[in-house]
Amino acid sequence: MTDTGTPTGTPTPTPTRKRRSPSRILVDLTPLRTSADYRRLWLGNTVSWIGQGMTTLAISLQVYDITRSTFSVGLVGLFSLVPLIVFGLYGGAVADTVDRRKLGLYSASGSAALSAALACAAFAGFHHVWFLYGVVALQAVCAALSSPARTTMIPRLLPPEQLPAANALSSMTTTSGMLIGPMLGGLIVGYGGYQTAYFIDAVAFGAALYAMWRLPAMLPDRDGDGTARKRASVLDGLRFLATRPNIRMTFFSDFCAMILAHPRALFPAVAVLWYGGDARTTGLLVAAPAVGALLGGVFSGWLGRVRRHGAAILLAVAAWGTAIAVFGLTRNLWLGLFFLALAGCADTVSMVFRHTMLQAAAPDEMRGRLQGVFIVVVAGGPRLGDFLAGSVAGLTSPAVAVTGGGLACVLAIGLLALRARGFVRYDAREPTP
């Protein structure tokens, strides 16, 4: 591993306790106890994620309020997706060139300023859909710059053995933002208007800004002395990825799940055709994987004892595909929700180990660019999955699309396991890219 030293300013980690207790089933809080810098960063990210979830819902509601067009609301996602993909790789290269602390501060400040601009416009009665689209696009640019910076900070704050626990905690941050943020956003918009939701989001960024302001400087370590000697190249990052089979497999495995077995686009039709439901049923189907993902994070204490991270990723993706395939065979709503939650839990396990491999096996000078690739995969993969599921369902039926997609995922991940024996044998004690 390239970057194994204890970062400057990081407290000496306490030895891992060998004693086993029931609490080890629950999420491991060791990173929060041993590093004050990480604790502040995690709390700041959690608060800002919830605030962003509020703003995301508020913008969709405001666009519909202005236009009364679901197509216009759908364009919000497009204006967010394109900048994420375009600037994702660029943001990773920037994170491998400049002080990541400053990049995180500047990009988070930009996001806070944009939320403040939304609040001011709402207070002033400036209701124009083109303004909202523009803010959404700029928010995506800030996110594409901020995410690689914040993610690459974590290996500099914690020892390698604590990375699985830290990534499990990060998964809870993301899932909480997706679940709690929209719920709070709906309540706040209903009682206080759009301007109140936007204003609270702008203030919530203060927690993340304070956490990053307290961090030490974090220049990418290109020559082992903490300094960056040249501008990082996106192409160099892609060339590095092309020659590192274990890291490359983390992306291929995620594609198997997100492209082949991602039935989200079919939930409205499934709610009606399978369960005789309505929009509320669709909401339950959408929420079930997120609830499962959150539970996967809550009960993630055992993940730190797993050493074969490659094998764990393959098994987790196979579990996702199996759960989706069985969901396609169910016609009982609560049973279907259970299998969707099970898939979400498996996705958390996969995500934890994929993040850990990217952080532990990659040299520090490449972590930003690899995180940029991760952003593109996470942003683009589910959209391709939506298109594939919708196309197959249109040609056949939703049941064939869902069950067939799940089985295709299991088959694809099995073939990858046969071809990538080194990935199956990957040992976290000797991380190799």
Side-chain angles (χ1 to χ4, degrees), residues 5 86 103 171 215 251 256 274 299 331:
V86 172
L103 179 60
S171 76
L215 293 174
F251 296 115
C256 288
W274 294 2
F299 296 100
R331 295 300 180 268

Side-chain angles (χ1 to χ4, degrees), residues 60-426:
S60 296
L61 292 173
Q62 190 174 8
V63 169
Y64 185 75
D65 192 26
I66 295 170
T67 65
R68 295 297 171 181
S69 167
T70 55
F71 175 76
S72 298
V73 176
L75 286 178
V76 173
L78 183 63
F79 276 93
S80 176
L81 173 63
V82 173
L84 274 177
I85 293 177
V86 172
F87 286 91
L89 295 176
Y90 175 74
V94 174
D96 284 339
T97 302
V98 304
D99 183 347
R100 290 160 177 167
R101 169 184 171 272
K102 290 183 178 179
L103 179 60
L105 275 171
Y106 295 154
S107 54
S109 297
S111 295
L114 290 168
S115 294
L118 287 170
C120 291
F123 273 118
F126 186 77
H127 303 300
H128 294 279
V129 70
W130 59 265
F131 172 74
L132 298 176
Y133 288 155
V135 170
V136 165
L138 291 174
Q139 284 178 330
V141 172
C142 290
L145 295 172
S146 175
S147 181
R150 288 191 289 186
T151 304
T152 52
M153 291 175 186
I154 295 175
R156 302 281 287 270
L157 299 174
L158 299 171
E161 62 270 16
Q162 291 184 19
L163 291 179
N167 288 316
L169 288 166
S170 296
S171 76
M172 295 176 64
T173 292
T174 305
T175 309
S176 297
M178 291 188 298
L179 285 175
I180 300 174
M183 288 190 296
L184 286 177
L187 291 173
I188 292 171
V189 168
Y191 286 102
Y194 302 115
Q195 63 272 15
T196 306
Y198 298 143
F199 177 75
I200 292 175
D201 181 28
V203 173
F205 271 106
L209 290 170
Y210 173 75
M212 286 184 279
W213 179 71
R214 291 288 304 272
L215 293 174
M218 289 194 178
L219 283 166
D221 191 0
R222 290 189 175 280
D223 296 301
D225 58 0
T227 59
R229 300 296 185 187
K230 61 181 181 178
R231 182 176 297 276
S233 167
V234 173
L235 290 179
D236 285 346
L238 295 176
R239 292 189 191 102
F240 174 85
L241 182 60
T243 59
R244 301 301 192 272
N246 286 335
I247 293 179
R248 196 168 60 245
M249 269 292 295
T250 64
F251 296 115
F252 288 161
S253 61
D254 192 44
F255 272 137
C256 288
M258 294 297 101
I259 296 178
L260 298 176
H262 197 258
R264 179 183 59 186
L266 304 180
F267 284 163
V270 164
V272 175
L273 297 177
W274 294 2
Y275 306 119
D278 51 18
R280 289 171 294 183
T281 307
T282 303
L284 290 174
L285 295 174
V286 172
V291 171
L294 182 60
L295 291 175
V298 170
F299 296 100
S300 62
W302 59 277
L303 297 181
R305 301 194 291 272
V306 177
R307 295 288 178 261
R308 294 299 181 90
H309 290 182
I313 291 171
L314 295 172
L315 290 173
V317 174
W320 164 280
T322 301
I324 294 298
V326 177
F327 164 70
L329 299 174
T330 62
R331 295 300 180 268
N332 177 277
L333 176 59
W334 296 110
L335 191 60
L337 294 174
F338 169 78
F339 282 107
L340 286 176
L342 191 62
C345 184
D347 185 49
T348 290
V349 174
S350 170
M351 186 280 297
V352 167
F353 290 126
R354 285 186 288 113
H355 266 301
T356 301
M357 287 183 67
L358 285 177
Q359 293 166 341
D364 183 72
E365 66 184 72
M366 287 289 176
R367 286 173 181 157
R369 279 165 285 184
L370 293 176
Q371 182 62 25
V373 175
F374 183 85
I375 291 173
V376 173
V377 170
V378 169
R383 273 71 178 187
L384 291 174
D386 289 342
F387 174 77
L388 180 62
S391 299
V392 174
L395 294 173
T396 56
S397 69
V400 171
V402 175
T403 300
L407 294 177
C409 171
V410 175
L411 176 61
I413 206 68
L415 293 175
L416 285 178
L418 292 175
R419 290 184 59 86
R421 300 296 179 87
F423 186 74
V424 177
R425 294 191 296 268
Y426 177 93

